[in-house]
Amino acid sequence: MNTAVAEPGRRVTTLELFFDLVFVFTLTQLTVLLAGDLSLATAGRVALIFVVLFWMYGAYAYLTNQVPPDRPSRRLLLMLGMGAFLVCALAIPRVFDDTGVVFGLGFLAVVVVHTALYTRSHGWDSIWYGVPNAVAALSVTAAGFFDGLAADALWLLALVVQFVTPFLAEHGPGRADGRSAVTMRAQLGSLDPAHFVERHGLLLIVAFGESVIAIGIGIGDLPLTTGLFGGAFLSLALVIALWWTYFVRDEELAEAAFRRTPAPARFRLAMNAYYYAFLPMLLGIAFLAAGVKKTLGHLTEHLHTGPALALAGGVALFLAGDVAFRAALRLYPVRFRATATPVALATALLGIHLSAATELLALVAALVGMLAAEARWGVRSAEVQDLARA
C-alpha cells in the first residue's frame, strides 16, 4: 500500500493568507523603490532586501505548517509577526537613506516572534535557527547606521548568515535529548505537503495581484484610448501566461513529488524548490510590475533601457526560477522553459529599438509559444506511453 497517499492534508487558514497579504506589501514597496530608479544598482539592492526578507517568510511558512495558528496565543503571536513585517515594508522605500534602523528593528521583531512560536514544535532545537536569524537581523539593523559600501557589506553578511543557517540546523552538534542529527533532519522534513504547496501557491497568486494593480497605476489618469486598452490587455495576458506556467500543472505535481519524498529529504527539497527557486520567480514578478508601471504610458515610444529590461528581465527571471523549481522537483520537461528564458530577455531590444507595445506583444507570443510547444510534447508523450502499454 502507498502510505504517502494516506498522509493527511491540512488547508491554509485565512489568518495565514492574511499574513501573506501583509508580506506581499513588502514586495509592493520593493516595486515602488525599483520604479523610482530603474538602475542596476537599485535592482541589486531590491534583490538583496527581498532575499533577506523572503528567508523569514519561508521560516514562517514552515512554522505554521508545523504549528497551526489554531489557538488564541498562536494567533496573537502570528499577528505580532504581521505587524513586524509591516514595519519592514513601510521602511523599505528609504531603507538605504534614513529608515535602515527602523527596518532592522522590525526585522528583529519578526525573528523574535518566529523563534517564540518555533519553540512550540522544536523546543530548544529552535536555538539553531533563532540565534543565526537574530544575528542576521542585528547585522541589518547595524547597516542602518552606515552608508555606501559599509551598509551593503552588512546586508551581505546577513545574507551569508541566512544561507549557512540550514547547514547549522541539519549538521550542528548533537541535540540536548541525545537524538542524532539524522532524526533532526527527519523532524525538519516532517512537512504537510498539501499545506506547504498550497501556501506558496497562494503567495504567488497574491504576488500576481501586484502586477495587475501595476496596470492600473501605470494607466493613472491617462485617456482611455483603444491603444491604452490594448496595452493593458497585453500586460494582463502576460500575467495570465505566467500564471498558466505554474498553476496549470506544476502545483499538483509538486505536491505529489513531496509525498513521494522520504521525510529526512523533504526539508532540503523544500529549500531548493520553494526558497532558492521561488526567489527569482517572486523577484521577477516585482521587476515585471515595475516595468509595467513605467511602460503603459509610453506604448508607442522607444523605451529607455531600464523599463525595457524590467519587463523582459522580470519575465526571464520568473522563467529561470520556474526551470530551477521544476529541476528540483524533477518535473519534466524543462527545456521549453529554459529555451524561452533568453528569448524573453532578448525582447528588451524590441522595446528599446521599436516600441513598448512591440516588446509586450513579443513577450506574450514567446510565453504562448512555449506553453503550446510544451502541450504538444505532453500529447505526444502520452501517445507514446499508450502505444508502449498496448
Side-chain angles (χ1 to χ4, degrees), residues 122-140:
H122 288 11
W124 285 107
D125 290 333
S126 305
I127 193 172
W128 298 108
Y129 279 98
V131 171
N133 286 340
V135 169
L138 290 171
S139 181
V140 169

Side-chain angles (χ1 to χ4, degrees), residues 314-362:
V315 174
L317 260 180
F318 184 93
L319 290 176
D322 189 59
V323 168
F325 177 84
R326 284 194 146 208
L329 293 168
R330 297 186 178 182
L331 308 180
Y332 300 107
V334 297
R335 65 177 182 272
F336 298 106
R337 300 176 188 210
T339 302
T341 301
V343 172
L345 185 59
T347 62
L349 296 173
L350 298 177
I352 294 169
H353 296 292
L354 295 177
S355 69
T358 305
E359 181 178 353
L360 282 171
L361 185 61

Side-chain angles (χ1 to χ4, degrees), residues 5-235:
V5 176
E7 287 186 41
R10 186 169 64 81
R11 299 299 301 273
V12 174
T13 65
T14 53
L15 181 56
E16 290 170 286
L17 182 56
F18 195 3
F19 183 97
D20 292 354
L21 286 168
V22 174
F23 174 74
V24 169
F25 180 51
T26 65
L27 198 64
T28 303
Q29 291 289 78
L30 288 171
T31 300
V32 171
L33 179 61
L34 183 62
D37 178 22
L38 278 172
S39 65
L40 289 177
T42 303
R45 284 182 163 179
V46 163
L48 189 59
I49 296 168
F50 185 68
V51 170
V52 170
L53 281 173
F54 190 59
W55 167 255
M56 285 310 301
Y57 171 82
Y60 272 87
Y62 173 78
L63 168 71
T64 55
N65 188 277
Q66 303 294 295
V67 186
D70 54 5
R71 303 173 193 173
S73 60
R74 295 178 181 180
R75 293 183 185 126
L76 288 172
L77 281 172
L78 196 60
M79 290 173 187
L80 285 174
M82 291 165 61
F85 266 120
L86 182 63
V87 171
C88 294
L90 292 172
I92 281 174
R94 301 196 315 275
V95 71
F96 286 98
D97 296 325
D98 57 0
T99 59
V101 175
V102 174
F103 179 97
L105 292 175
F107 193 62
L108 183 60
V110 167
V111 171
V112 170
V113 171
H114 174 266
T115 304
L117 275 167
Y118 203 53
T119 58
R120 305 297 178 91
S121 64
H122 288 11
W124 285 107
D125 290 333
S126 305
I127 193 172
W128 298 108
Y129 279 98
V131 171
N133 286 340
V135 169
L138 290 171
S139 181
V140 169
T141 305
F145 293 101
F146 297 92
D147 296 317
L149 291 177
D152 291 341
L154 286 166
W155 274 88
L156 286 171
L157 175 61
L159 188 64
V160 170
V161 171
Q162 289 179 339
F163 271 72
V164 301
T165 297
F167 179 84
L168 292 175
E170 289 186 271
H171 306 286
R175 292 160 35 139
D177 57 12
R179 283 183 284 173
S180 67
V182 174
T183 304
M184 186 176 182
R185 285 197 293 274
Q187 186 182 32
L188 288 169
S190 58
L191 297 167
D192 181 331
H195 176 275
F196 194 75
V197 172
E198 183 188 19
R199 179 75 185 272
H200 286 82
L202 289 173
L203 174 67
L204 206 56
I205 281 288
V206 177
F208 279 141
E210 157 67 13
S211 296
V212 176
I213 292 171
I215 296 173
I217 296 175
I219 290 174
D221 296 327
L222 294 172
L224 296 178
T225 63
T226 302
L228 193 59
F229 274 119
F233 283 126
L234 279 175
S235 300

